[in-house]
Amino acid sequence: MKVRLLSILVFVLVFEPISHASESQGTDNSSSPSTYGGIGIIQTPTARMSDDGVLAFGISSESPFNRLYSRMQFFPWMEIVLRYTEGKHKPYYPGNPQTWKDKGLDIKFNLLDEGKIIPEISLGLVDLGGTGAFSSEYLVASKKYKDLDFTIGMGFGGLAGSNNFKNPVGIIFDSYNQRGGGTKLGGTVSLGNFFSGPKASLFGGIEYKTSLDNLTLKLEYDSSDYSENEGRKKNFFREFDEIFKVDSRINAALNYKIKMSERDMVDLSLGYVRGNTIFANISVHSNLNFKGTDKARIGPEKIRNTNLGVNSFHQLDNNRQNFLINRIIKEMANNGFVTHNIIFSGDELAAEVSQGRFLETSKYIDLAARILANNSLPNIKTVTVINIDLGIETFRASVNRSDLVNAVSRGPLPEILVQFDRNQNFDKNVLVRENEYLYPHFYWQAKPKLSGTLQHQIQFYFWQLEADIHTEYSIRKGLYFTTDIGISVANNFDDYIWHYPDGELYHVRQDRRLYLTEGKSGIRRMALDNIFSINRNIKAKFSIGYLEWMFGGAGGEILYIPDTRNWGIGAELFWVKQRDFDQKFSFRDYDTVTGFLNFYYDLPFYDLRFKASAGRFLAEDKGFELDISRRFESGARIGAKTALTDCDAQCVGEGSFNKWIYFELPMDLFYINRTTRDVAGYEWSPLTKDAGQKVAKGGSLYELATNATDEIDYFRNEPWSIKKIFSGFGLESKNKNN
């Protein structure tokens, strides 16, 4: 069977005529992933990158390894791969029934783009900051000729396993002739290991686009070290040579692409490695910079004239005033908007509105402004939409009514006509009419929720499917009592799931498995939140109750954010007490005070957001949390954060320090015939440790204040310069329309 498969691959290469079809033929035939998850040939990398914003998930298998990976093209010039590897040739540790597992983080940097003569060149770091099981570095070049894509590279560490030669870096720096191993605790970055070791090796290959649409053939020379890596050198099940016998360094594979939608693709690979092993690889990827087909197109409309026989709202009698107010509220509701207040100020008609229908804020402004214009009396010259999110104003959008009438008669409202955050105050004779039907308001929903934990000592993945019953009682604008109750539906937990928490801090998070087992069903959150604006630029939030599944208490946050919305500064302080494992009403003995000074800055390139916090964490360690994230064109956000505290590597335990990767995906991406503003978030940590932990109180005030404006081009950063990096700190309102 194995010989037959290799023969078929060679036959395809020899007898397949070289096609000179253009790149546009068929589905996109860009490069595909290696078994490690990054863009590559089979076992070795190439210099190629995915399109900017591509997020991929995949599984590969080649005995004795199975890999689960995620790849993100975070920048056009930087690829990041997060990977779990299972080794079926040995146990997690001696005497344990679970197979060996290893986490890995790979980063590849594009150094030079391909030209007519010069190749594309990239530099990569494999298994960065881990235990060193697959640690390697490489410099690689790729060049296309017609339907052939050639790659050649130089590998160090794990890629320096055959036909090697003296490390050229070691010739210059003698210290680079020695290569250290991984760390016991893992999680650290050993800069001295980069491009080190006594030997280096050349690797390379060819990727050939066949005349069959979407099908490519891959051949490579694999220089991987199959004897020295930590993940391979110890065997508890079989003889070593039986597992990693290398009959050939030439690997071959076929890769087929399936286009699932405008945004989504699937790569299917099947091939032959080491001259004796079949491998398979499947990868699903989506481009977060691709918005896709517009699901909500707003057409032209002829704005009506409201003729009630008077010039202004003040001249109406009480019945007709109520009629007009109720009509605005009803028309807003028919479009999925909630009206809080309607404001008449001289020649301006404004409404405080909340919405969850549109991810694209411009569409919401367009429809809400049309409703106000349709219900304007003759004296109204300006209509204003005041956006309210969870009780606080996050922006104002004003448009001249005459300009709006003319523009929407032809189609959507152009953003250029909208003035944001006008500094003009309302008239002194302002009249505010509340929506008398809005408060108090009760809302509930039940939805499925899947949660789990990776890499437990007994089993790799523990999961739970529960019914999440969410209730929300809105007492008034900004004052909410919410509950989240989880009812277990199915899980693979066991009451005797044991764990060995390590480190030297009080276990504020490492006891999470006890919460999972003893609190399979329980109160996940039950709290009263008050969110309000102190003035135009200062927001505040106070909370009391069972704030999350592990802690209850009281505290709050205050934020200053200027009209520019390029930055913000705030503070938070909470007293919390640890909840019992059953997640009902009782508490454990541990309590503490935790607080932070927070700084937020939207960097003027790649829609990056930087956050920094300094203060005291849940386990009473002190230090910093740093967070960098990027927003993509679809509205998705992906980021990473790390906590550096006065708890050293020994104090933290395995993992050495805490780090997280998170993403927020708009649910709008998954709907076909409707739109939504809902977002699903997920946070992943390779190991849940006690250091650098915060109260899970929900999103920050800065995120709340900028959530809607993140989707408005006016507030999005333009192409950057060094000058603009520092100009974002201005306190004055920026208004392109003035």
Side-chain angles (χ1 to χ4, degrees):
M1 173 64 184
K2 296 177 180 178
V3 175
R4 185 180 305 170
L5 178 60
L6 183 59
S7 301
I8 292 173
L9 294 174
V10 173
F11 178 85
V12 171
L13 178 65
V14 174
F15 293 99
E16 164 71 24
I18 293 183
S19 167
H20 300 280
S22 67
E23 288 295 324
S24 61
Q25 179 185 11
T27 308
D28 174 38
N29 271 317
S30 58
S31 300
S32 52
S34 71
T35 59
Y36 286 82
I39 295 298
I41 306 179
I42 301 170
Q43 298 276 59
T44 60
T46 69
R48 303 302 182 193
M49 300 276 180
S50 303
D51 291 336
D52 184 31
V54 166
L55 174 65
F57 297 93
I59 300 173
S60 69
S61 178
E62 112 262 351
S63 181
F65 294 122
N66 296 319
R67 297 185 180 94
L68 175 68
Y69 60 82
S70 173
R71 181 180 73 254
M72 180 68 222
Q73 195 70 36
F74 195 75
F75 296 121
W77 44 268
M78 186 173 77
E79 171 192 276
I80 300 175
V81 176
L82 181 65
R83 177 181 58 256
Y84 272 101
T85 300
E86 176 193 36
K88 295 184 292 184
H89 60 299
K90 70 174 187 174
Y92 194 74
Y93 55 80
N96 189 286
Q98 185 184 175
T99 53
W100 177 80
K101 303 294 190 303
D102 180 70
K103 297 177 295 293
L105 175 67
D106 306 344
I107 301 180
K108 180 164 67 175
F109 301 94
N110 176 251
L111 304 180
L112 188 66
D113 289 331
E114 182 176 8
K116 290 184 178 180
I117 299 176
I118 61 174
E120 184 169 358
I121 299 177
S122 294
L123 179 149
L125 308 171
V126 179
D127 206 4
L128 177 68
T131 58
F134 301 95
S135 174
S136 59
E137 303 81 43
Y138 59 87
L139 186 67
V140 63
S142 297
K143 187 75 180 74
K144 281 187 178 180
Y145 176 73
K146 297 182 179 178
D147 291 328
L148 296 171
D149 195 4
F150 298 91
T151 290
I152 186 169
M154 181 187 299
F156 304 78
L159 281 170
S162 69
N163 291 335
N164 43 40
F165 47 86
K166 188 172 178 59
N167 184 350
V169 182
I171 297 175
I172 304 173
F173 304 102
D174 185 65
S175 61
Y176 278 79
N177 286 314
Q178 299 295 323
R179 188 177 184 90
T183 64
K184 179 180 178 181
L185 295 175
T188 60
V189 178
S190 180
L191 299 178
N193 270 353
F194 291 169
F195 301 96
S196 67
K199 300 291 184 179
S201 293
L202 293 179
F203 62 86
I206 302 172
E207 188 163 2
Y208 168 51
K209 189 176 84 171
T210 72
S211 59
L212 299 175
D213 284 351
N214 314 317
L215 182 68
T216 57
L217 171 67
K218 296 181 174 187
L219 290 176
E220 72 174 0
Y221 175 80
D222 178 13
S223 65
S224 298
D225 185 349
Y226 289 100
S227 62
E228 297 181 358
N229 285 334
E230 179 67 25
R232 299 164 171 146
K233 69 182 181 181
K234 292 183 179 180
N235 169 38
F236 297 93
F237 293 169
R238 291 184 277 167
E239 288 298 322
F240 176 86
D241 290 339
E242 179 185 346
I243 301 173
F244 292 109
K245 183 179 179 182
V246 179
D247 291 328
S248 173
R249 289 282 178 177
I250 303 297
N251 300 330
L254 291 171
N255 187 87
Y256 186 72
K257 287 185 179 293
I258 303 173
K259 187 171 183 179
M260 305 296 292
S261 68
E262 295 179 284
R263 182 188 296 108
D264 306 316
M265 298 278 289
V266 175
D267 274 295
L268 301 172
S269 295
L270 182 66
Y272 203 53
V273 296
R274 302 198 301 269
N276 52 36
T277 302
I278 295 174
F279 90 91
N281 190 0
I282 178 170
S283 173
V284 180
H285 46 101
S286 182
N287 194 328
L288 300 182
N289 271 329
F290 183 75
K291 289 185 176 181
T293 303
D294 193 347
K295 295 187 285 289
R297 298 179 181 178
I298 302 178
E301 179 182 358
K302 183 178 181 180
I303 300 297
R304 65 176 178 239
N305 293 315
T306 301
N307 184 9
L308 295 178
V310 297
N311 187 57
S312 68
F313 184 79
H314 295 78
Q315 296 172 343
L316 293 172
D317 59 39
N318 188 60
N319 288 334
R320 289 195 294 174
Q321 284 187 352
N322 290 336
F323 167 78
L324 187 58
I325 294 297
N326 290 336
R327 189 166 69 182
I328 294 174
I329 293 172
K330 182 178 179 180
E331 290 182 4
M332 289 286 188
N334 288 340
N335 282 276
F337 308 149
V338 175
T339 307
H340 297 271
N341 294 314
I342 299 173
I343 303 163
F344 296 88
S345 175
D347 60 2
E348 181 178 6
L349 171 59
E352 293 183 347
V353 185
S354 298
Q355 69 95 20
R357 177 182 173 186
F358 293 110
L359 177 66
E360 294 182 73
T361 310
S362 59
K363 288 184 168 61
Y364 148 58
I365 294 172
D366 188 344
L367 285 182
R370 293 187 189 198
I371 292 169
L372 293 178
N374 269 319
N375 291 281
S376 297
L377 290 164
N379 72 312
I380 297 300
K381 296 180 180 178
T382 302
V383 294
T384 298
V385 179
I386 304 173
N387 187 67
I388 303 294
D389 279 337
L390 290 180
I392 63 172
E393 176 184 330
T394 63
F395 72 82
R396 294 188 183 189
S398 301
V399 60
N400 180 278
R401 185 181 183 278
S402 296
D403 292 341
L404 181 147
V405 170
N406 292 331
V408 303
S409 66
R410 298 184 296 272
L413 175 66
E415 188 178 294
I416 191 64
L417 297 179
V418 181
Q419 292 183 310
F420 291 96
D421 293 343
R422 298 194 317 162
N423 290 324
Q424 176 182 338
N425 293 322
F426 285 124
D427 188 272
K428 63 181 180 179
N429 296 320
V430 63
L431 176 63
V432 180
R433 294 292 297 269
E434 294 184 2
N435 182 350
E436 299 175 351
Y437 310 101
L438 188 55
Y439 298 106
H441 176 74
F442 179 77
Y443 165 80
W444 75 278
Q445 68 170 351
K447 61 182 179 181
K449 180 181 179 182
L450 181 66
S451 58
T453 180
L454 288 174
Q455 202 168 353
H456 186 270
Q457 294 99 324
I458 292 180
Q459 184 166 302
F460 177 63
Y461 181 56
F462 282 100
W463 59 269
Q464 179 183 37
L465 176 65
E466 68 178 23
D468 181 21
I469 301 175
H470 173 80
T471 69
E472 183 176 304
Y473 183 65
S474 304
I475 302 168
R476 58 174 172 77
K477 185 173 70 175
L479 184 61
Y480 311 100
F481 181 73
T482 58
T483 66
D484 286 283
I485 299 174
I487 300 175
S488 181
V489 176
N491 61 71
N492 67 343
F493 300 156
D494 197 314
D495 290 336
Y496 57 83
I497 290 180
W498 46 264
H499 66 294
Y500 293 119
D502 59 358
E504 300 171 2
L505 295 173
Y506 183 84
H507 298 316
V508 294
R509 294 298 186 201
Q510 286 200 74
D511 284 337
R512 67 190 305 269
R513 296 182 186 106
L514 298 176
Y515 284 94
L516 290 172
T517 55
E518 295 187 27
K520 291 178 182 178
S521 297
I523 301 169
R524 310 309 187 210
R525 188 178 195 274
M526 180 181 290
L528 181 69
D529 300 300
N530 189 15
I531 309 170
F532 57 94
S533 297
I534 297 175
N535 62 33
R536 185 182 183 89
N537 302 112
I538 300 178
K539 321 292 183 184
K541 176 182 179 181
F542 294 99
S543 302
I544 185 170
Y546 301 98
L547 303 176
E548 49 145 293
W549 65 320
M550 293 188 188
F551 284 90
E557 178 184 5
I558 190 168
L559 170 75
Y560 171 80
I561 180 170
D563 290 339
T564 60
R565 288 178 182 79
N566 284 4
W567 63 278
I569 189 168
E572 59 184 276
L573 186 69
F574 286 87
W575 170 84
V576 293
K577 190 174 179 69
Q578 190 176 34
R579 297 179 60 190
D580 256 343
F581 301 137
D582 62 6
Q583 295 177 66
K584 292 184 172 61
F585 295 100
S586 55
F587 290 89
R588 298 174 63 79
D589 291 335
Y590 180 78
D591 67 276
T592 189
V593 174
T594 175
F596 298 91
L597 290 175
N598 303 314
F599 173 71
Y600 310 85
Y601 182 48
D602 288 348
L603 297 167
F605 44 86
Y606 292 119
D607 271 331
L608 289 175
R609 176 164 292 165
F610 172 74
K611 311 175 196 175
S613 299
R616 189 189 200 207
F617 293 91
L618 267 178
E620 301 185 352
D621 50 325
K622 303 176 184 67
F624 299 89
E625 182 186 86
L626 305 176
D627 183 333
I628 188 78
S629 64
R630 181 184 177 192
R631 180 199 176 277
F632 296 89
E633 291 295 326
S634 64
R637 182 175 294 276
I638 293 182
K641 57 184 178 180
T642 184
L644 306 173
T645 77
D646 57 0
C647 182
D648 61 18
Q650 190 67 36
C651 170
V652 173
E654 185 182 1
S656 300
F657 62 97
N658 243 349
K659 50 269 183 187
W660 301 264
I661 294 173
Y662 63 91
F663 59 82
E664 300 167 1
L665 295 180
M667 290 295 95
D668 194 69
L669 296 176
F670 305 99
Y671 290 166
I672 298 176
N673 298 319
R674 56 169 295 214
T675 62
T676 180
R677 193 183 170 192
D678 290 344
V679 173
Y682 181 77
E683 183 174 279
W684 175 87
S685 175
L687 289 169
T688 301
K689 312 306 291 183
D690 298 312
Q693 293 288 353
K694 290 183 173 182
V695 180
K697 56 183 176 53
S700 69
L701 278 177
Y702 187 83
E703 292 166 343
L704 175 61
T706 57
N707 180 269
T709 55
D710 280 346
E711 306 303 324
I712 301 176
D713 289 340
Y714 168 79
F715 290 100
R716 302 275 298 282
N717 287 311
E718 298 174 347
W720 71 283
S721 66
I722 297 297
K723 179 180 178 181
K724 286 184 179 179
I725 293 179
F726 298 99
S727 66
F729 291 99
L731 297 176
E732 297 180 359
S733 174
K734 60 174 185 177
N735 200 323
K736 303 171 187 176
N737 308 102
N738 289 340

